[in-house]
């Protein structure tokens, strides 16, 4: 989806037991929730870039972090 950025949302300790409720609230703010990691209190998915601030205001959200991509392809000539 154009304009979408991958994110991980950390849920604060007071809301981890209600992580599904936080996930619903994030979805209502425009996040596409892909995975809810209940044991570690992380919700991952994507959101339009312009909605990041709205997610940070959701009760129970400790932090919203952009997904980090690492390119492991070699650069330069192949070894002989």
């Amino acid at each position: 989806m154009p304009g979408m950025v991958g994110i991980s949302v950390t849920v604060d300790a007071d809301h981890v037991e209600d992580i599904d409720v936080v996930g619903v609230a994030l979805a209502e703010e425009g996040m596409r929730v892909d995975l809810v990691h209940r044991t570690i209190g992380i919700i991952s998915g994507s959101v339009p870039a312009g909605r990041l601030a709205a997610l940070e205001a959701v009760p129970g959200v400790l932090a919203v972090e952009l997904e980090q991509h690492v390119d492991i392809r070699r650069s330069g000539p192949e070894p002989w």
Side-chain angles (χ1 to χ4, degrees):
M1 198 175 244
M4 299 287 277
V5 293
I7 59 169
S8 292
V9 176
T10 303
V11 176
D12 69 32
D14 293 337
H15 290 83
V16 170
E17 288 186 13
D18 297 320
I19 195 168
D20 292 319
V21 174
V22 177
V24 168
L26 290 167
E28 289 173 351
E29 291 296 338
M31 180 178 177
R32 186 189 75 210
V33 175
D34 293 332
L35 288 171
V36 177
H37 309 274
R38 288 172 185 81
T39 56
I40 58 172
I42 301 284
I43 300 172
S44 57
S46 57
V47 67
R51 299 297 299 161
L52 286 169
L55 298 184
E56 291 172 346
V58 170
V61 171
L62 180 65
V64 177
E65 298 178 50
L66 293 176
E67 230 176 49
Q68 300 297 315
H69 293 281
V70 177
D71 187 350
I72 60 171
R73 292 177 290 180
R74 286 183 43 88
S75 60
E78 289 295 317
W80 292 87

